[in-house]
Each structure stands twice: as structure tokens, then as C-alpha cells.
Amino acid sequence: MPAIKFEEKYRADGLYTLILHGDVYCLPDSMFIVPKSSLDFLDKAKIPYGLVERKENDFRSKKRTEVVRAKASN
């Protein structure tokens, strides 16, 4: 399950959309763990988010453009 973050101005709309469509696990620092299928709902609602990747005891954010490119190459 991916971890995501929202910019402050999109957080309320994003969280609302997520809780309507599945499970959401809230972590500190406004990070959310969601099912992959929930990302489609965010995309359809045009709510921007960033994927957070775990790497060596730390989290690293990926820009949305990187995420879109990765989806397109699959």
C-alpha cells in the first residue's frame, strides 16, 4: 500500500475523497497509507498528491510527475 502526502491546501479534499472510497491509515506528519485503488479516485477528482517512498529508515517524496511517468511506462 502506498504512502502519500498532500499539500496543505488539498489535504481536506484529499482525505475526504479517500475515506469515501476505502481504508486510510493516518501517520504523523500528515502522511497517509492507502490502497493503490484509492489513487485512481484522487486522479479522477484531480486532487494532487505526492507518493512517499521508504528508503533506509527515512521517507523520500516523489514528485507527481515522476509518478505519472512511472505509471505510463508500465
Side-chain angles (χ1 to χ4, degrees):
M1 290 175 62
I4 63 170
K5 285 186 108 171
F6 297 103
E7 291 181 27
E8 180 69 33
K9 63 183 177 180
Y10 299 110
R11 190 175 304 140
D13 290 336
L15 185 56
Y16 179 75
T17 299
L18 290 172
I19 60 176
L20 288 178
H21 298 290
D23 295 330
V24 180
Y25 301 95
C26 301
L27 301 176
D29 297 326
S30 301
M31 193 178 321
F32 305 97
I33 306 292
V34 299
K36 284 186 180 183
S37 60
S38 294
L39 300 180
D40 293 333
F41 292 111
L42 293 173
D43 292 338
K44 286 178 187 175
K46 298 186 181 184
I47 299 172
Y49 59 89
L51 283 179
V52 180
E53 209 173 75
R54 177 129 189 166
K55 187 172 183 175
E56 295 181 22
N57 299 328
D58 199 11
F59 283 97
R60 179 177 69 85
S61 290
K62 291 174 85 175
K63 293 182 182 173
R64 182 159 169 72
T65 54
E66 293 175 27
V67 173
V68 171
R69 282 188 206 135
K71 283 183 179 179
S73 67
N74 291 335

